[in-house]
C-alpha cells in the first residue's frame, strides 16, 4: 500500500467518524450578495438571521463605491508584504481611522483577526511572563497563546473569582496579560471588562480584549467594550476584525498603546510574512470608519432591533440566554432538536443555524440569531412568527 493509500483510508475513517457522530458540517450555498434577504442556490429567497453583518455594510452601496474607487485608483493587489513595498497611504489612513474609532494610540492591520490574535502574544511576551485567558476565548486567541512561551493560566468564563485566583498564582512572573473576548459569540454575553480592569490594576497586569463581536455593536455608539465600561484609552491591547460589523470582507487589526504596535510591526510574524491587505478592502474600510464618525444611526437601529427582538422572543416563551450584544441564543439543549428546528425554519423562509457539541458544551444546543441594523420591523416580525409557529409545532413553547 502506498503512503497515500494508507493515509487516504485514515482520512475516510476520520470523515466517517465525524458523520456518524452527527458533527459533519454541510455548507448551504448562497447565490446572492450577503444581506438580510438572500437567495439560496435552489432559488429560494430567505431572511438571514445568522450573519455577522451587524451594521448591514456587507452589500452597502457606499462601501462598494469606495471599494471600486480604491481599486481603480490603486489597483487590485499589493504583491508584497507591508515592509517591502506593500504600504500605501491608504493603509496608514485606515490604521489611523481604527485608532480614532477606538480612542487608542495606533493600529496595525492584518489579513484577518485570526492573524492579529495569532501574532500578538509571541512578539510581546516570553517564558518569564504570564497570559491569563478566559476559557471561552476564540480559537485564534488559543492558538496565539500556544505560539508564545509565556506561562499559561486559564479562568472560567467571565468568572472574576477565578480570574483573581489565577492572577495571584501568576504573581511570580515578570509581566501579566489578561486576555478576553469582548463578546462571547455563542452566548452573546459581554466580558466584565470593568471588573477585569480593576483586577488588573490590583494585581499589576495588562489587559487585551478581542472586540471582534463587540466593535460596532456594544456601547452607546458601538465603540465596543471600552465605551461600554468607560475605559477608552485604558486597555493596552484591542484586536478586531473587518469581517463582521465593519463591512464583512476580510481584514483584522490590533490597536492600543503605541510602543506595542511599533514592536508588532517589527516582530509580529503574520504581519511580516503575509501579504498586505488589497486596496479594495482598505478603501472600503476607510469609508466605513468615516461613516461611523459621521453618524450613529446604524448602531442605534441595531440596539433597537435587538431589544425588540429579544423582548418579543421572551414573551413568546423562548428560553433566551442573557445577552448584551446583537447575539440572541435560543436555548433548545438537544442537538437534534436544534437541527430539526433550523431545518423547519428554513422551510418557513428564515435562515438560522443550530449549534451543538463540540461548538457549545454538551446538552447546551441552541439556535444563535444575529441581528443587523439592516433588519426592518417586518423582517423581525416574520422571524418571530416563524419561530413561534415552529416552536409550537416542536413542543418547545
Ligand atoms: C472573537 C473572534 N476573534 C477573532 C475572529 C477571527 O476573525 P477573522 O474572521 O477576521 O479572522 C473571530 C471570527 O470568528 C471571532 O469571533
Amino acid at each position: 500500500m502506498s503512503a497515500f493509500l494508507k493515509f487516504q483510508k485514515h482520512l475516510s475513517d476520520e470523515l466517517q467518524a465525524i458523520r456518524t457522530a452527527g458533527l459533519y458540517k454541510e455548507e448551504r450555498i448562497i447565490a446572492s450578495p450577503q444581506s438580510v434577504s438572500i437567495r439560496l442556490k435552489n432559488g429560494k429567497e430567505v431572511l438571514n438571521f445568522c450573519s455577522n453583518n451587524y451594521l448591514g455594510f456587507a452589500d452597502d452601496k457606499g462601501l462598494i463605491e469606495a471599494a471600486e474607487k480604491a481599486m481603480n485608483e490603486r489597483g487590485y493587489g499589493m504583491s508584497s508584504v507591508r515592509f517591502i513595498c506593500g504600504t500605501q497611504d491608504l493603509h496608514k489612513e485606515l490604521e489611523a481611522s481604527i485608532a480614532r474609532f477606538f480612542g487608542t494610540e495606533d493600529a496595525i492591520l492584518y489579513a484577518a483577526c485570526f492573524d492579529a490574535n495569532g501574532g500578538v502574544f509571541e512578539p510581546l511576551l516570553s517564558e518569564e511572563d504570564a497570559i491569563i485567558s478566559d476559557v471561552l476565548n476564540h480559537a485564534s486567541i488559543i492558538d496565539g497563546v500556544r505560539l508564545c512561551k509565556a506561562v499559561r493560566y486559564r479562568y472560567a468564563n467571565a468568572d472574576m473569582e477565578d480570574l483573581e485566583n489565577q492572577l495571584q498564582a501568576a504573581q511570580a512572573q515578570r509581566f501579566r496579560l489578561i486576555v478576553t473576548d469582548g463578546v462571547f459569540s455563542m452566548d452573546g454575553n459581554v466580558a466584565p471588562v470593568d471588573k477585569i480592569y480593576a483586577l488588573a490594576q490590583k494585581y499589576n497586569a495588562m489587559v487585551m480584549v478581542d472586540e471582534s463581536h463587540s466593535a460596532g455593536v456594544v456601547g452607546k455608539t458601538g465603540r465596543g467594550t471600552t465605551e461600554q465600561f468607560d475605559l477608552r484609552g485604558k486597555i493596552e491591547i484591542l484586536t478586531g476584525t473587518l469581517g463582521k460589523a465593519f463591512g464583512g470582507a476580510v481584514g483584522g487589526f490590533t490597536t492600543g498603546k503605541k510602543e506595542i504596535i511599533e514592536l508588532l510591526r517589527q516582530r509580529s510574524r503574520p504581519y511580516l510574512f503575509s501579504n498586505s491587505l488589497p486596496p479594495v478592502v482598505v478603501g472600503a474600510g476607510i469609508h466605513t470608519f468615516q461613516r461611523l464618525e459621521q453618524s450613529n444611526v446604524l448602531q442605534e437601529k441595531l440596539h433597537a432591533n435587538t431589544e425588540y427582538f429579544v423582548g418579543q422572543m421572551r414573551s413568546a416563551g423562548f428560553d433566551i440566554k442573557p445577552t448584551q450584544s446583537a447575539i440572541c441564543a435560543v436555548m433548545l439543549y438537544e442537538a437534534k432538536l436544534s437541527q430539526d428546528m433550523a431545518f423547519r425554519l428554513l422551510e418557513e423562509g428564515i435562515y438560522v443555524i443550530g449549534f451543538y457539541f463540540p461548538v457549545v458544551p454538551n446538552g447546551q444546543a441552541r439556535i444563535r440569531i444575529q441581528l443587523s441594523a439592516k433588519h426592518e420591523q417586518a423582517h423581525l416580525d416574520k422571524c418571530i412568527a416563524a419561530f413561534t409557529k415552529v416552536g409550537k409545532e416542536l413542543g418547545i413553547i
Side-chain angles (χ1 to χ4, degrees), residues 33 56 205 210 285 297 299 305 336 367 370:
D210 177 340
V297 291
Q299 297 92 312
N305 278 353
K336 183 164 181 322
I367 285 179
Q370 289 169 284

Side-chain angles (χ1 to χ4, degrees), residues 112-115 117 138 140 181 183 185 210 212-213 241-244 251-252:
C113 186
F114 210 104
D115 288 331
N117 287 335
H138 189 258
S140 53
D181 278 8
V183 163
S185 63
D210 177 340
S212 288
H213 281 282
T241 180
L242 301 177
K244 302 190 197 293

Side-chain angles (χ1 to χ4, degrees), residues 76-91:
Y76 172 67
M78 291 308 302
S79 297
S80 174
V81 298
R82 287 286 298 272
F83 81 96
I84 300 180
C85 57
T87 300
Q88 288 177 331
D89 49 354
L90 294 185
H91 293 95

Side-chain angles (χ1 to χ4, degrees), residues 49-95:
F49 279 88
C50 59
S51 85
N52 302 306
N53 187 17
Y54 294 126
L55 297 177
F57 279 140
D59 67 338
D60 182 272
K61 284 216 161 41
L63 261 79
I64 294 169
E65 277 166 24
E68 278 172 354
K69 184 169 182 287
M71 184 157 70
N72 290 335
E73 291 176 3
R74 300 297 159 83
Y76 172 67
M78 291 308 302
S79 297
S80 174
V81 298
R82 287 286 298 272
F83 81 96
I84 300 180
C85 57
T87 300
Q88 288 177 331
D89 49 354
L90 294 185
H91 293 95
K92 299 310 285 181
E93 197 179 331
L94 178 55
E95 287 171 343

